[in-house]
Amino acid sequence: MSCYRKLTVYLMRHGNCADGEILRGRTDSPLSEQGQEQMWNAWRELCNHLPEGKLLLLSSPLQRCSLFADSLASEMPEFFERPLQTANWLQELNFGEWDGKSMVALQADYPKATAAYALDPLNHTPPHGETVNELYQRVNRGWQDLVEELLSSQQDNALLITHGGVIRTLISEVLNPGQAPLSGVFSSLELPYGSLLKIVVDAHEVDGEWQCLPKLHWQL
């Protein structure tokens, strides 16, 4: 006996923040007015492409994601299966001692270290920061749990409101499953504020076990 499920998971990056050009990881920055508009524009665009069925809504607990997600759940409850949930695995990379500091100041104080990090973040980590490999382990565990939750609950669609580092990690995992994160995805891929993309998972249940093949879609 076999069974087929198609899961669609939408990824939305938060919008522009109010505190300028800083290295923003766990720093709990608020959205700017522009950032809020970017996210509402992304939602309106997503509404034109949603499949049938309600969405599971998950957000990073950091306010640049969660406050918009809470507004979305409150104002558009008809789109969501249940109230907003936050998930720690959707938090941005922790930049340690550099977190929350301006890029200009960091580049002035640590020119060699910041240049090395920008070119090869996999092998250069800010002092007391989270490594990209640690981010990968965290996000991959959360992703696997999410897929299992969707399959067990008969829920087919989800919207994750999260951060650039998390989205890059998921891109890397889909393109290079089970392997070390792809350096170029972190150093050379432009991912604007308010970005939207989706991952479609083809899931086949064979003899009681699910075999899943995720595919990255740049267009909704």
Side-chain angles (χ1 to χ4, degrees):
M1 295 289 294
S2 64
C3 178
Y4 171 75
R5 295 273 301 281
K6 177 182 176 181
L7 310 178
T8 303
V9 180
Y10 298 96
L11 310 175
M12 181 189 294
R13 188 186 180 196
H14 66 80
N16 181 67
C17 292
D19 48 3
E21 294 297 321
I22 64 172
L23 193 58
R24 188 178 294 105
R26 297 299 175 83
T27 300
D28 201 9
S29 304
L31 290 174
S32 65
E33 290 186 10
Q34 178 191 24
Q36 295 180 46
E37 186 61 26
Q38 287 168 333
M39 296 189 78
W40 280 113
N41 286 340
W43 169 250
R44 286 189 283 268
E45 173 64 17
L46 179 57
C47 285
N48 294 325
H49 302 276
L50 288 175
E52 293 185 5
K54 293 187 176 183
L55 295 160
L56 175 68
L57 179 60
L58 284 178
S59 172
S60 161
L62 295 171
Q63 66 172 314
R64 57 190 184 271
C65 297
S66 64
L67 292 184
F68 171 79
D70 186 60
S71 295
L72 190 60
S74 298
E75 297 182 31
M76 308 281 180
E78 66 274 17
F79 285 95
F80 303 107
E81 183 64 29
R82 57 178 186 260
L84 168 68
Q85 297 174 282
T86 60
N88 286 333
W89 68 271
L90 291 174
Q91 291 188 89
E92 183 57 287
L93 186 71
N94 186 343
F95 294 110
E97 293 180 10
W98 292 0
D99 212 306
K101 296 184 178 179
S102 77
M103 295 302 300
V104 172
L106 286 171
Q107 290 164 355
D109 293 341
Y110 312 102
K112 292 183 179 179
T114 53
Y117 184 71
L119 292 171
D120 186 9
L122 270 65
N123 294 305
H124 297 86
T125 302
H128 301 106
E130 184 180 23
T131 68
V132 172
N133 187 60
E134 288 169 340
L135 171 70
Y136 171 82
Q137 297 296 330
R138 165 167 62 88
V139 171
N140 196 40
R141 285 194 299 268
W143 172 257
Q144 297 300 326
D145 289 344
L146 171 64
V147 170
E148 291 178 10
E149 178 183 355
L150 292 173
L151 291 171
S152 64
S153 68
Q154 302 301 308
Q155 180 80 38
D156 290 330
N157 309 308
L159 170 61
L160 310 184
I161 299 178
T162 184
H163 307 269
V166 173
I167 294 174
R168 292 173 194 278
T169 302
L170 290 171
I171 291 171
S172 183
E173 172 60 15
V174 172
L175 296 179
N176 197 35
Q179 304 300 314
L182 294 169
S183 179
V185 171
F186 288 86
S187 61
S188 304
L189 176 66
E190 183 70 18
L191 193 67
Y193 291 125
S195 293
L196 275 174
L197 63 154
K198 70 178 179 181
I199 297 172
V200 174
V201 179
D202 291 318
H204 298 266
E205 186 184 32
V206 180
D207 296 330
E209 292 195 9
W210 288 102
Q211 300 175 8
C212 298
L213 176 63
K215 297 179 181 178
L216 180 68
H217 293 246
W218 289 106
Q219 294 183 330
L220 298 177

